[in-house]
Structure formats: C-alpha cells, structure tokens
Amino acid sequence: MKENFYSLEYLPKMHRIGKIIGVVAVLASFMPALTLGVVYGLWPDMAALGTAAVSAIASFGVLWFVEPLSYYPVVGPVGTYMAFVSGNISNMRIPCASMAQISAEVEPGSDKGSIIATIGMGVSIVINTLVLTIGVIAGSSILSMLPASVVGALNYLLPALFGALLVQFGMKSKSHTVLMLVIGILLNIAINGGVFSWLPGANNYLSTLVCVFSSIAIMMVVSKKKAAKAA
Amino acid sequence: MEALKIANSLPMWLACGIAVVLVIAQALIFIKKAMDAAPEVGVTKEQVNKAIKSSALTSIGPSIVVLSGMLSLLVSVGGPMAWMRLSFIGSVMFESIAAGIGTGAVGVQLGVDELTPLALTMAVWTMILGSVGWIIFSTFAADKMEKIQAKVAGSNPAGLTIISSAAIIGAFAAMCSQKLVALNKASVATILGGLIMFVMMQITKSEKLAKLREWNLTIAILLGMIITAVL
C-alpha cells in the first residue's frame, strides 16, 4: 500500500483519461449525423433544426447541469466520467455501484469505496452494452423468447431494488432516512400537484436534486452538532 | 421505406458502432485502472471479484428493461441509432421525446406518419444536440465538483463519507418516493423490496446465518418483484 496513492496518482490519471474520452465521445456522437450528410447527402433543414434544438434544450437543457451536480456526490469524480457517457444512471449505474460496494463491504465515499464503485459501474456498462448488442442483432425475436409474464414482472425490479437499497443504506441512520423519505414524498406530491409547473421539466430532476442536497446538509449539520456535544 | 433503409444501412451501423465501441473501451480502461489501483488502497482480490459478480448480476434485469425500450425505438429510428443511443448517453425517455421533437419540426409525427429521409435526419440531429451537453458539462465539471466537495467536507476526515452516505440516502429516498406517490403496483414493489430487506437484515444478524447476508438484496429484490407481479 502506498500513502496518498489514490489522491496523488490514481485520481489525476483518471481525470486525464476521463476528459480525453469525454471529448472523443462528443465527437463520436456526431458520427451518425455526419454519415447521413456525407454518405447520403442528407442534411437537416437548418430553420427546422433550430426550432427542434431549442425545444429539446428547453425540455432537457437544465438536466445537463442538474444531473451531474445531483449525482456527483453519489458516484464521485471517476463515476461521473463514466456515468454520463454511458447514460442509464439512476436505473443501472448507481444501483450497480452500490451493490458492488455492499458485497465488497467498503464504505461509500472512501478511497476503497470509489475504486469498487468504478469497477461495479464499468461491469454494468459492459453487460448493458452486450445485452443491447445481442438484442439489436436478434431484433424483436429476442423479447418474444421471454414469456410475457417475465417481461411484465421486470417492470417491478427497479422499484423493489430502490426500496431494498434505501433500507440497506438507511439502517445505519434510521431517523435520517425516515425524514428524507417524508421530505421526498411531500416533494413528489407537490411536484405531481403542479406546484412547480413554472419550472420547466421540474418533474425530471427536482426531487433528486432537492433530496440529495438536503440530505447532505441535514446530515452534516447533525454530525457537527454531535461532534460539538462530544467535545 | 427509403428512410428506414438508410437508417439501417451499413454506413450507419459503422458510424454508430464507433460510439458503442468507445463506451465499452472506456468501461474496460476504467475497470483495468481501478483494478490496478485496488491493492494500493488495500482492496483485496476477493473484494474485487465480489464487486464484479454482484454488479454483473444486478445489471442483467435493468438491461432487459432497457432492451425492451430499445426495441420500440428501433422501429422508429432504425437499429443502429437505437442501439447506439441506448448504449451511449441515452435514456429511453429522452431519446424518444427528442426524436419526436426532431421529426415534428418537419411535420412528421414519430411512430404515426411514415418516416421521410429528412425527418430521420432531423431526429438524429436533435437527439445529438439535445444530449451533448450532459457529456460536455460532466466532463469539464468533474474535477471542479471534486474541489467543491473537498471544501464542503472540510478538515473532518469523515466528511467525505458523511457526504456520500447522505447523498446515497437522498438519491434512493427520491427514487423511492417517486415510485411511492404513483400509488400503483410499482409502489407496492418499492414497499415490498424495503420490507423484505428489513426482515432479511434482522434474520441474518445472528452469526449463524451470516453466510446468507450476501444474498439479502437478491432475495429482497426478486421476492419483491415476483410477489408484486402475481398480486
């Protein structure tokens, strides 16, 4: 074991690789559009594209900033590079990173936790891409191989996973978790009731944003108070 | 039919393949680097293996859910784009809305009207322009967010762990409450997943049943999902 290996050697290297891949990824994402133009002479109608881009950005632009900010404290710096190139963050990357940390018995936020989360997230990207690749080659026939009851039941996999993981992580600080759940439920009732309809696309990000940061703020205040009492 | 022929042509497969290869390459590079770093921070080979195994198992279910989303996108924008977009940056919800906005700007209703080559081009460009912001912002903000987090954590060595644990509880509280306020079968699955997890944690508290502990989550998720499906 080396002293400060994580912060002095590992992290700077990962930042460098992450940034290079991020730039390449932006370029790569334009390849299909350029292919349509160069190979088939199909270019978009600029006026129409302006309208479309504006309305797509109006719906999703806030998420570009809010999602990385909300998920950063959960997935860490290295996870951020991976999660936003591969997508499927709340439904796959975070659950897989958490499950990896639980089974390796490491603390989230520690150096060990970050290494394990990176491995877990990477594995989930490989599996996810493999499943999609097999799926696109086999086409719709692949889903018809699974009985309809199985495909239907899979819709409940994520909710059950969310519930189980909340309990798993929450057992260490029960009252805090109950409080956060109450805040989350009230907030979502308000969102569904249209209280925040003046915020464009609020239902996509508001509840995660508010819950993550209020949870951090509350827990930090409480732990400071506890430390002050102990001192 | 002309548009879908282009959408499913070899040049499009190649162009989209670049992005998919990039996603897998990033995952493999990050896994490799994290595994190299593991012994330096005191993570054992056994912990790494456990992390890989549990992440792989966790990703299968959500991957199949994403696969079913890809098959619906495949019908409207062709195989290569659906395959690329859901391996890369994507989320099913974003992609179909963005594609719809793009085709709508030239008067083609996605999934209703016949796709014209121009509409296909518009869909492809809108999906890209609507999503590059995620990669750009997260790639360039990752190290800045790291510095901010370190400042917030302060001199307290437990600070980072507190932030991460609080963030995870906040994130899962948000996801659970979104499912709970929907008041449908997904809410039932969330509650069941949490309840079964709680029971499993109590049962496996005794040292005799400690071996069962690593199965807690799997049991909670599968039982929660299956019971909800048959209800």
Short mmCIF file of all heavy atoms in Angstrom, two decimals, chain A residues 4-61:
data_model
loop_
_atom_site.label_atom_id
_atom_site.label_comp_id
_atom_site.label_asym_id
_atom_site.label_seq_id
_atom_site.Cartn_x
_atom_site.Cartn_y
_atom_site.Cartn_z
N ASN A 4 -1.27 8.01 0.12
CA ASN A 4 -1.82 9.01 -0.81
C ASN A 4 -1.82 8.58 -2.27
O ASN A 4 -1.91 9.41 -3.16
CB ASN A 4 -1.05 10.34 -0.70
CG ASN A 4 -1.34 11.03 0.60
OD1 ASN A 4 -2.43 10.84 1.16
ND2 ASN A 4 -0.40 11.79 1.09
N PHE A 5 -1.69 7.27 -2.52
CA PHE A 5 -1.71 6.80 -3.91
C PHE A 5 -2.98 7.24 -4.63
O PHE A 5 -2.95 7.70 -5.76
CB PHE A 5 -1.59 5.27 -3.93
CG PHE A 5 -1.77 4.68 -5.29
CD1 PHE A 5 -0.69 4.56 -6.16
CD2 PHE A 5 -3.02 4.24 -5.73
CE1 PHE A 5 -0.86 4.03 -7.42
CE2 PHE A 5 -3.19 3.72 -7.00
CZ PHE A 5 -2.10 3.61 -7.84
N TYR A 6 -4.09 7.11 -3.90
CA TYR A 6 -5.38 7.40 -4.51
C TYR A 6 -5.47 8.83 -5.00
O TYR A 6 -5.80 9.10 -6.15
CB TYR A 6 -6.50 7.10 -3.51
CG TYR A 6 -7.87 7.42 -4.02
CD1 TYR A 6 -8.54 6.51 -4.83
CD2 TYR A 6 -8.50 8.62 -3.70
CE1 TYR A 6 -9.81 6.81 -5.33
CE2 TYR A 6 -9.75 8.92 -4.18
CZ TYR A 6 -10.41 8.00 -5.00
OH TYR A 6 -11.65 8.31 -5.47
N SER A 7 -5.15 9.80 -4.10
CA SER A 7 -5.35 11.20 -4.48
C SER A 7 -4.21 11.74 -5.33
O SER A 7 -4.42 12.64 -6.14
CB SER A 7 -5.53 12.05 -3.23
OG SER A 7 -4.46 11.85 -2.35
N LEU A 8 -3.00 11.19 -5.17
CA LEU A 8 -1.86 11.76 -5.91
C LEU A 8 -1.59 11.07 -7.24
O LEU A 8 -1.10 11.69 -8.17
CB LEU A 8 -0.61 11.75 -5.05
CG LEU A 8 -0.66 12.65 -3.81
CD1 LEU A 8 0.65 12.62 -3.05
CD2 LEU A 8 -1.02 14.08 -4.19
N GLU A 9 -1.88 9.77 -7.33
CA GLU A 9 -1.58 9.09 -8.60
C GLU A 9 -2.83 8.66 -9.35
O GLU A 9 -3.00 8.94 -10.53
CB GLU A 9 -0.71 7.85 -8.33
CG GLU A 9 0.70 8.21 -7.95
CD GLU A 9 1.57 6.97 -7.79
OE1 GLU A 9 1.44 6.05 -8.61
OE2 GLU A 9 2.36 6.94 -6.83
N TYR A 10 -3.74 7.97 -8.62
CA TYR A 10 -4.91 7.39 -9.29
C TYR A 10 -5.84 8.47 -9.84
O TYR A 10 -6.15 8.49 -11.03
CB TYR A 10 -5.64 6.49 -8.30
CG TYR A 10 -6.93 5.91 -8.79
CD1 TYR A 10 -6.96 4.87 -9.72
CD2 TYR A 10 -8.15 6.39 -8.31
CE1 TYR A 10 -8.15 4.34 -10.15
CE2 TYR A 10 -9.36 5.85 -8.73
CZ TYR A 10 -9.35 4.83 -9.65
OH TYR A 10 -10.54 4.31 -10.08
N LEU A 11 -6.28 9.39 -8.97
CA LEU A 11 -7.27 10.38 -9.41
C LEU A 11 -6.79 11.27 -10.56
O LEU A 11 -7.52 11.44 -11.54
CB LEU A 11 -7.71 11.25 -8.23
CG LEU A 11 -8.94 10.74 -7.46
CD1 LEU A 11 -9.35 11.77 -6.42
CD2 LEU A 11 -10.10 10.44 -8.39
N PRO A 12 -5.57 11.84 -10.48
CA PRO A 12 -5.13 12.68 -11.62
C PRO A 12 -5.13 11.91 -12.94
O PRO A 12 -5.53 12.43 -13.98
CB PRO A 12 -3.70 13.09 -11.22
CG PRO A 12 -3.67 12.98 -9.75
CD PRO A 12 -4.59 11.86 -9.39
N LYS A 13 -4.72 10.63 -12.88
CA LYS A 13 -4.69 9.82 -14.09
C LYS A 13 -6.11 9.62 -14.63
O LYS A 13 -6.37 9.75 -15.83
CB LYS A 13 -4.04 8.47 -13.75
CG LYS A 13 -3.68 7.65 -14.95
CD LYS A 13 -2.72 6.51 -14.58
CE LYS A 13 -3.36 5.55 -13.58
NZ LYS A 13 -2.42 4.57 -13.03
N MET A 14 -7.05 9.33 -13.72
CA MET A 14 -8.43 9.10 -14.14
C MET A 14 -9.05 10.38 -14.70
O MET A 14 -9.82 10.33 -15.65
CB MET A 14 -9.26 8.58 -12.97
CG MET A 14 -8.81 7.24 -12.44
SD MET A 14 -8.69 5.97 -13.71
CE MET A 14 -10.05 4.91 -13.28
N HIS A 15 -8.71 11.52 -14.11
CA HIS A 15 -9.23 12.78 -14.64
C HIS A 15 -8.76 12.99 -16.08
O HIS A 15 -9.53 13.40 -16.95
CB HIS A 15 -8.73 13.96 -13.78
CG HIS A 15 -9.59 14.21 -12.57
ND1 HIS A 15 -10.93 14.48 -12.66
CD2 HIS A 15 -9.30 14.24 -11.25
CE1 HIS A 15 -11.43 14.66 -11.44
NE2 HIS A 15 -10.45 14.50 -10.56
N ARG A 16 -7.48 12.69 -16.32
CA ARG A 16 -6.93 12.88 -17.66
C ARG A 16 -7.64 11.97 -18.66
O ARG A 16 -8.13 12.42 -19.69
CB ARG A 16 -5.42 12.60 -17.64
CG ARG A 16 -4.65 13.44 -18.63
CD ARG A 16 -3.16 13.49 -18.28
NE ARG A 16 -2.61 12.22 -17.86
CZ ARG A 16 -2.02 12.00 -16.69
NH1 ARG A 16 -1.88 12.98 -15.84
NH2 ARG A 16 -1.55 10.80 -16.39
N ILE A 17 -7.71 10.68 -18.32
CA ILE A 17 -8.36 9.73 -19.24
C ILE A 17 -9.83 10.11 -19.44
O ILE A 17 -10.34 10.11 -20.56
CB ILE A 17 -8.28 8.29 -18.69
CG1 ILE A 17 -6.82 7.91 -18.46
CG2 ILE A 17 -8.93 7.32 -19.65
CD1 ILE A 17 -6.66 6.57 -17.76
N GLY A 18 -10.49 10.45 -18.33
CA GLY A 18 -11.91 10.79 -18.40
C GLY A 18 -12.17 11.97 -19.32
O GLY A 18 -13.13 11.96 -20.10
N LYS A 19 -11.33 12.97 -19.25
CA LYS A 19 -11.52 14.17 -20.09
C LYS A 19 -11.29 13.85 -21.55
O LYS A 19 -12.05 14.28 -22.42
CB LYS A 19 -10.55 15.27 -19.64
CG LYS A 19 -10.99 15.95 -18.38
CD LYS A 19 -10.43 17.37 -18.31
CE LYS A 19 -11.19 18.19 -17.31
NZ LYS A 19 -11.26 17.61 -15.98
N ILE A 20 -10.22 13.07 -21.83
CA ILE A 20 -9.95 12.71 -23.24
C ILE A 20 -11.14 11.95 -23.81
O ILE A 20 -11.65 12.26 -24.89
CB ILE A 20 -8.66 11.86 -23.34
CG1 ILE A 20 -7.45 12.68 -22.90
CG2 ILE A 20 -8.47 11.33 -24.76
CD1 ILE A 20 -6.16 11.89 -22.75
N ILE A 21 -11.61 10.94 -23.05
CA ILE A 21 -12.72 10.13 -23.56
C ILE A 21 -13.98 10.99 -23.72
O ILE A 21 -14.72 10.84 -24.69
CB ILE A 21 -12.97 8.92 -22.65
CG1 ILE A 21 -11.76 7.98 -22.71
CG2 ILE A 21 -14.24 8.17 -23.07
CD1 ILE A 21 -11.85 6.77 -21.84
N GLY A 22 -14.18 11.94 -22.80
CA GLY A 22 -15.35 12.82 -22.90
C GLY A 22 -15.35 13.61 -24.20
O GLY A 22 -16.38 13.71 -24.89
N VAL A 23 -14.18 14.15 -24.55
CA VAL A 23 -14.09 14.94 -25.79
C VAL A 23 -14.32 14.03 -27.00
O VAL A 23 -15.08 14.36 -27.92
CB VAL A 23 -12.71 15.64 -25.88
CG1 VAL A 23 -12.53 16.28 -27.24
CG2 VAL A 23 -12.57 16.67 -24.78
N VAL A 24 -13.66 12.85 -27.00
CA VAL A 24 -13.85 11.91 -28.11
C VAL A 24 -15.32 11.50 -28.21
O VAL A 24 -15.88 11.37 -29.30
CB VAL A 24 -12.95 10.66 -27.92
CG1 VAL A 24 -13.19 9.67 -29.05
CG2 VAL A 24 -11.49 11.06 -27.88
N ALA A 25 -15.97 11.34 -27.04
CA ALA A 25 -17.36 10.92 -27.04
C ALA A 25 -18.27 11.96 -27.69
O ALA A 25 -19.20 11.62 -28.41
CB ALA A 25 -17.83 10.64 -25.61
N VAL A 26 -17.98 13.24 -27.41
CA VAL A 26 -18.79 14.30 -28.04
C VAL A 26 -18.65 14.22 -29.56
O VAL A 26 -19.64 14.26 -30.30
CB VAL A 26 -18.35 15.69 -27.53
CG1 VAL A 26 -19.02 16.79 -28.35
CG2 VAL A 26 -18.69 15.85 -26.05
N LEU A 27 -17.40 14.05 -30.03
CA LEU A 27 -17.17 13.93 -31.48
C LEU A 27 -17.86 12.68 -32.03
O LEU A 27 -18.53 12.73 -33.06
CB LEU A 27 -15.67 13.88 -31.78
CG LEU A 27 -14.88 15.12 -31.32
CD1 LEU A 27 -13.39 14.92 -31.59
CD2 LEU A 27 -15.38 16.37 -32.05
N ALA A 28 -17.71 11.56 -31.32
CA ALA A 28 -18.28 10.30 -31.79
C ALA A 28 -19.80 10.39 -31.89
O ALA A 28 -20.41 9.78 -32.77
CB ALA A 28 -17.89 9.15 -30.85
N SER A 29 -20.41 11.17 -31.00
CA SER A 29 -21.86 11.21 -31.03
C SER A 29 -22.38 11.88 -32.30
O SER A 29 -23.50 11.64 -32.72
CB SER A 29 -22.41 11.90 -29.77
OG SER A 29 -22.18 13.28 -29.84
N PHE A 30 -21.54 12.69 -32.96
CA PHE A 30 -21.98 13.32 -34.20
C PHE A 30 -21.79 12.44 -35.44
O PHE A 30 -22.25 12.78 -36.53
CB PHE A 30 -21.23 14.65 -34.42
CG PHE A 30 -21.80 15.77 -33.61
CD1 PHE A 30 -21.25 16.09 -32.37
CD2 PHE A 30 -22.90 16.49 -34.05
CE1 PHE A 30 -21.78 17.12 -31.60
CE2 PHE A 30 -23.45 17.52 -33.29
CZ PHE A 30 -22.89 17.83 -32.07
N MET A 31 -21.09 11.30 -35.28
CA MET A 31 -20.78 10.46 -36.44
C MET A 31 -22.01 10.03 -37.26
O MET A 31 -21.99 10.14 -38.49
CB MET A 31 -19.99 9.21 -36.01
CG MET A 31 -18.56 9.50 -35.58
SD MET A 31 -17.60 10.33 -36.85
CE MET A 31 -17.47 9.02 -38.05
N PRO A 32 -23.09 9.55 -36.63
CA PRO A 32 -24.24 9.15 -37.44
C PRO A 32 -24.82 10.33 -38.23
O PRO A 32 -25.19 10.17 -39.40
CB PRO A 32 -25.26 8.65 -36.41
CG PRO A 32 -24.52 8.47 -35.15
CD PRO A 32 -23.27 9.27 -35.20
N ALA A 33 -24.85 11.51 -37.61
CA ALA A 33 -25.40 12.68 -38.30
C ALA A 33 -24.52 13.04 -39.50
O ALA A 33 -25.02 13.34 -40.59
CB ALA A 33 -25.50 13.85 -37.34
N LEU A 34 -23.19 13.00 -39.30
CA LEU A 34 -22.28 13.31 -40.39
C LEU A 34 -22.35 12.25 -41.49
O LEU A 34 -22.25 12.55 -42.68
CB LEU A 34 -20.85 13.45 -39.86
CG LEU A 34 -20.66 14.62 -38.89
CD1 LEU A 34 -19.23 14.64 -38.34
CD2 LEU A 34 -20.99 15.95 -39.56
N THR A 35 -22.55 11.00 -41.07
CA THR A 35 -22.66 9.92 -42.05
C THR A 35 -23.87 10.15 -42.96
O THR A 35 -23.78 10.00 -44.18
CB THR A 35 -22.79 8.56 -41.33
OG1 THR A 35 -21.65 8.40 -40.51
CG2 THR A 35 -22.89 7.43 -42.32
N LEU A 36 -25.00 10.53 -42.35
CA LEU A 36 -26.18 10.82 -43.16
C LEU A 36 -25.86 11.91 -44.18
O LEU A 36 -26.28 11.82 -45.34
CB LEU A 36 -27.34 11.28 -42.27
CG LEU A 36 -28.06 10.20 -41.45
CD1 LEU A 36 -29.11 10.83 -40.56
CD2 LEU A 36 -28.69 9.17 -42.38
N GLY A 37 -25.12 12.92 -43.74
CA GLY A 37 -24.81 14.05 -44.63
C GLY A 37 -23.81 13.67 -45.71
O GLY A 37 -24.05 13.90 -46.91
N VAL A 38 -22.68 13.06 -45.30
CA VAL A 38 -21.59 12.81 -46.25
C VAL A 38 -21.94 11.66 -47.19
O VAL A 38 -21.74 11.75 -48.40
CB VAL A 38 -20.28 12.51 -45.47
CG1 VAL A 38 -19.19 12.08 -46.43
CG2 VAL A 38 -19.86 13.74 -44.67
N VAL A 39 -22.50 10.56 -46.64
CA VAL A 39 -22.76 9.38 -47.47
C VAL A 39 -24.05 9.55 -48.27
O VAL A 39 -24.12 9.22 -49.45
CB VAL A 39 -22.83 8.11 -46.60
CG1 VAL A 39 -23.12 6.89 -47.46
CG2 VAL A 39 -21.52 7.93 -45.84
N TYR A 40 -25.10 10.09 -47.64
CA TYR A 40 -26.40 10.12 -48.31
C TYR A 40 -26.84 11.53 -48.73
O TYR A 40 -27.93 11.71 -49.25
CB TYR A 40 -27.47 9.50 -47.39
CG TYR A 40 -27.19 8.04 -47.11
CD1 TYR A 40 -26.61 7.63 -45.91
CD2 TYR A 40 -27.49 7.08 -48.08
CE1 TYR A 40 -26.33 6.29 -45.67
CE2 TYR A 40 -27.21 5.73 -47.85
CZ TYR A 40 -26.64 5.35 -46.65
OH TYR A 40 -26.36 4.03 -46.42
N GLY A 41 -26.00 12.52 -48.43
CA GLY A 41 -26.37 13.89 -48.78
C GLY A 41 -27.56 14.41 -48.00
O GLY A 41 -28.25 15.33 -48.43
N LEU A 42 -27.84 13.80 -46.85
CA LEU A 42 -28.99 14.23 -46.05
C LEU A 42 -28.54 15.20 -44.96
O LEU A 42 -27.91 14.81 -43.99
CB LEU A 42 -29.65 13.02 -45.39
CG LEU A 42 -30.41 12.06 -46.32
CD1 LEU A 42 -30.80 10.79 -45.57
CD2 LEU A 42 -31.64 12.74 -46.89
N TRP A 43 -28.81 16.48 -45.14
CA TRP A 43 -28.52 17.47 -44.11
C TRP A 43 -29.83 17.99 -43.56
O TRP A 43 -30.83 18.04 -44.26
CB TRP A 43 -27.67 18.60 -44.68
CG TRP A 43 -26.32 18.12 -45.14
CD1 TRP A 43 -25.95 17.88 -46.44
CD2 TRP A 43 -25.19 17.80 -44.33
NE1 TRP A 43 -24.64 17.42 -46.48
CE2 TRP A 43 -24.16 17.37 -45.20
CE3 TRP A 43 -24.94 17.83 -42.95
CZ2 TRP A 43 -22.90 16.97 -44.74
CZ3 TRP A 43 -23.69 17.45 -42.49
CH2 TRP A 43 -22.68 17.01 -43.37
N PRO A 44 -29.83 18.39 -42.29
CA PRO A 44 -31.09 18.88 -41.72
C PRO A 44 -31.49 20.22 -42.30
O PRO A 44 -30.65 20.96 -42.81
CB PRO A 44 -30.78 18.99 -40.23
CG PRO A 44 -29.31 19.15 -40.15
CD PRO A 44 -28.74 18.39 -41.31
N ASP A 45 -32.77 20.51 -42.22
CA ASP A 45 -33.29 21.83 -42.56
C ASP A 45 -32.93 22.75 -41.39
O ASP A 45 -33.39 22.55 -40.28
CB ASP A 45 -34.80 21.69 -42.74
CG ASP A 45 -35.49 23.03 -42.98
OD1 ASP A 45 -35.10 24.04 -42.36
OD2 ASP A 45 -36.42 23.04 -43.78
N MET A 46 -32.05 23.73 -41.67
CA MET A 46 -31.47 24.50 -40.56
C MET A 46 -32.50 25.24 -39.73
O MET A 46 -32.42 25.28 -38.51
CB MET A 46 -30.42 25.49 -41.09
CG MET A 46 -29.09 24.82 -41.39
SD MET A 46 -28.47 23.90 -39.95
CE MET A 46 -27.40 22.72 -40.73
N ALA A 47 -33.49 25.84 -40.40
CA ALA A 47 -34.51 26.57 -39.65
C ALA A 47 -35.29 25.61 -38.74
O ALA A 47 -35.49 25.88 -37.55
CB ALA A 47 -35.45 27.28 -40.61
N ALA A 48 -35.67 24.46 -39.32
CA ALA A 48 -36.43 23.49 -38.53
C ALA A 48 -35.56 22.92 -37.41
O ALA A 48 -36.03 22.70 -36.29
CB ALA A 48 -36.94 22.36 -39.42
N LEU A 49 -34.27 22.70 -37.70
CA LEU A 49 -33.39 22.15 -36.68
C LEU A 49 -33.23 23.14 -35.52
O LEU A 49 -33.18 22.75 -34.35
CB LEU A 49 -32.01 21.82 -37.26
CG LEU A 49 -31.03 21.16 -36.28
CD1 LEU A 49 -31.56 19.81 -35.80
CD2 LEU A 49 -29.65 20.99 -36.89
N GLY A 50 -33.18 24.44 -35.87
CA GLY A 50 -33.12 25.46 -34.82
C GLY A 50 -34.30 25.34 -33.88
O GLY A 50 -34.14 25.28 -32.66
N THR A 51 -35.50 25.25 -34.46
CA THR A 51 -36.71 25.11 -33.65
C THR A 51 -36.64 23.85 -32.79
O THR A 51 -36.92 23.88 -31.59
CB THR A 51 -37.94 25.00 -34.56
OG1 THR A 51 -37.80 25.91 -35.62
CG2 THR A 51 -39.23 25.24 -33.79
N ALA A 52 -36.26 22.73 -33.44
CA ALA A 52 -36.23 21.45 -32.73
C ALA A 52 -35.20 21.49 -31.60
O ALA A 52 -35.47 21.05 -30.48
CB ALA A 52 -35.92 20.31 -33.69
N ALA A 53 -34.00 22.05 -31.91
CA ALA A 53 -32.95 22.08 -30.89
C ALA A 53 -33.39 22.94 -29.71
O ALA A 53 -33.19 22.57 -28.55
CB ALA A 53 -31.65 22.61 -31.49
N VAL A 54 -34.02 24.08 -30.02
CA VAL A 54 -34.46 24.95 -28.93
C VAL A 54 -35.48 24.23 -28.05
O VAL A 54 -35.38 24.27 -26.82
CB VAL A 54 -35.06 26.27 -29.48
CG1 VAL A 54 -35.82 27.01 -28.38
CG2 VAL A 54 -33.94 27.16 -30.03
N SER A 55 -36.42 23.50 -28.67
CA SER A 55 -37.41 22.88 -27.80
C SER A 55 -36.84 21.66 -27.08
O SER A 55 -37.23 21.37 -25.95
CB SER A 55 -38.72 22.57 -28.53
OG SER A 55 -38.51 21.62 -29.51
N ALA A 56 -35.86 20.96 -27.70
CA ALA A 56 -35.22 19.84 -26.98
C ALA A 56 -34.41 20.38 -25.80
O ALA A 56 -34.43 19.82 -24.70
CB ALA A 56 -34.32 19.04 -27.92
N ILE A 57 -33.70 21.50 -26.03
CA ILE A 57 -32.88 22.05 -24.96
C ILE A 57 -33.75 22.65 -23.86
O ILE A 57 -33.44 22.55 -22.67
CB ILE A 57 -31.88 23.09 -25.54
CG1 ILE A 57 -30.84 22.35 -26.40
CG2 ILE A 57 -31.17 23.85 -24.43
CD1 ILE A 57 -29.97 23.25 -27.26
N ALA A 58 -34.89 23.24 -24.26
CA ALA A 58 -35.81 23.77 -23.25
C ALA A 58 -36.32 22.64 -22.36
O ALA A 58 -36.51 22.83 -21.15
CB ALA A 58 -36.98 24.49 -23.92
N SER A 59 -36.53 21.44 -22.94
CA SER A 59 -37.03 20.33 -22.13
C SER A 59 -35.93 19.67 -21.31
O SER A 59 -36.18 19.20 -20.21
CB SER A 59 -37.68 19.24 -23.00
OG SER A 59 -38.43 19.81 -24.02
N PHE A 60 -34.73 19.58 -21.88
CA PHE A 60 -33.70 18.77 -21.23
C PHE A 60 -32.46 19.53 -20.80
O PHE A 60 -31.63 19.00 -20.07
CB PHE A 60 -33.28 17.62 -22.16
CG PHE A 60 -34.40 16.67 -22.48
CD1 PHE A 60 -35.07 16.74 -23.68
CD2 PHE A 60 -34.79 15.73 -21.53
CE1 PHE A 60 -36.10 15.87 -23.97
CE2 PHE A 60 -35.83 14.86 -21.82
CZ PHE A 60 -36.49 14.93 -23.04
N GLY A 61 -32.30 20.76 -21.27
CA GLY A 61 -31.07 21.51 -21.02
C GLY A 61 -30.72 21.64 -19.54
O GLY A 61 -29.57 21.54 -19.15
#
